[in-house]
């Protein structure tokens, strides 16, 4: 899962980014509204954390432009303002949720997890596919109750496929959501990670859809 943090406070941006990375997310950063708007307009994100009080272009304007352009990714607003009118303006502009500063990073992480789950049609913090259970809160996965030992890339791959169960996901889409903007992306590596993940899972849940990509779904018998 790939997150964009648009926050002009360098220390707060670093704190949020480090916490998100420790939770298994890929993170890009922007430090003003214009840069944030550009990245959100041109890169695919699973969720965006957006500060309202930004230089160059304020967060409400950034959000309004995204929504006017048809961008539907979940957006969590950060605001230092206590006025209820600012929160209403953010929601009316298309925000999915908001957090007022100062806040605990754990609250932001919990809200981001919830936004991503809901956007993918999941209400529970645990996503289940046959014998595989993904614990989005603990950033871990199990098979028949046994913990899977996954690398960060394998976890990101499994997480994305499980959030989009039943859907065909292309290699390009996986690459875009597994690596940040500065990474030297190579779609051929996805096949390697899928192969490793299949071996570790030990059950046939990841289907190769020739010419299109991959699809993860539980077997017909549910086991």
């Amino acid at each position: 899962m790939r997150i964009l943090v648009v926050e002009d406070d360098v220390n707060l941006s670093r704190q949020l980014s480090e916490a998100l990375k420790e939770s298994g997310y890929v993170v890009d950063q922007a430090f003003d509204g214009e840069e944030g708007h550009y990245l959100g307009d041109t890169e695919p994100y699973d969720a965006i954390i957006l500060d309202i009080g930004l230089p160059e272009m304020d967060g409400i304007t950034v959000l309004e432009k995204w929504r006017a352009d048809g961008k539907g990714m979940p957006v969590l607003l950060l605001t230092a303002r206590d006025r209820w009118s600012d929160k209403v303006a953010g929601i009316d502009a298309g925000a999915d949720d908001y957090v007022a500063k100062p806040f605990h990073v754990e609250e932001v992480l919990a809200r981001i997890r919830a936004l991503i789950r809901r956007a993918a049609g999941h209400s529970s913090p645990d996503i289940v596919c046959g014998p595989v259970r993904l614990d989005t809160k603990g950033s871990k996965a199990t098979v028949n109750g046994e913990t899977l030992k996954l690398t960060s890339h394998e976890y990101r791959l499994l997480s994305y496929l499980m959030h989009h169960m039943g859907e065909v996901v292309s290699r390009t889409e996986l690459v875009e959501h597994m690596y940040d903007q500065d990474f030297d992306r190579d779609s051929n590596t996805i096949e390697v990670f899928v192969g490793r993940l299949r071996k570790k899972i030990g059950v046939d849940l990841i289907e190769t859809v020739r010419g299109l990509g991959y699809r993860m779904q539980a077997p017909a018998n549910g086991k």
Side-chain angles (χ1 to χ4, degrees), residues 1 23-25 113 116-117 120 122-148 150-165 197 201 205 216:
M1 293 295 173
S23 295
Y25 297 102
R113 288 194 297 268
I116 292 175
R117 288 198 309 269
H122 303 284
S123 57
S124 170
D126 287 353
I127 301 175
V128 179
C129 181
V132 179
R133 180 179 295 272
L134 182 75
D135 175 4
T136 61
K137 180 180 179 181
S139 301
K140 61 183 180 181
T142 58
V143 176
N144 294 317
E146 296 293 325
T147 300
L148 280 173
L150 302 174
T151 66
S152 59
H153 287 95
E154 290 166 354
Y155 176 80
R156 292 171 190 165
L157 174 62
L158 178 63
S159 177
Y160 195 82
L161 289 173
M162 289 192 70
H163 274 85
H164 298 273
M165 272 191 299
L197 199 53
I201 291 175
L205 299 177
M216 186 168 187

Side-chain angles (χ1 to χ4, degrees), residues 90-109:
I91 297 298
D92 284 345
D96 298 274
D97 200 354
Y98 65 84
V99 175
K101 299 177 182 177
F103 52 76
H104 292 288
V105 172
E106 289 77 9
E107 180 183 0
V108 173
L109 294 176

Side-chain angles (χ1 to χ4, degrees), residues 14-49:
R14 176 182 52 78
Q15 184 181 9
L16 286 170
S17 297
E18 288 179 354
L20 287 163
K21 289 175 182 177
E22 288 176 2
S23 295
Y25 297 102
V26 177
V27 183
D28 292 332
Q29 295 172 270
F31 299 95
D32 64 64
E34 287 188 355
E35 182 186 14
H37 172 261
Y38 173 76
L39 287 176
D41 205 40
T42 57
E43 296 286 339
Y45 293 103
D46 296 290
I48 295 179
I49 298 173

Side-chain angles (χ1 to χ4, degrees), residues 2 6 9 37 48 55 59 80 84 105 111 113 116 144 147 149 167 185 217:
R2 188 176 173 196
V6 190
D9 183 321
H37 172 261
I48 295 179
W84 63 267
V105 172
R111 290 180 182 272
R113 288 194 297 268
I116 292 175
N144 294 317
T147 300
K149 295 181 179 179
E167 301 175 23
R185 300 170 181 177
Q217 56 187 3

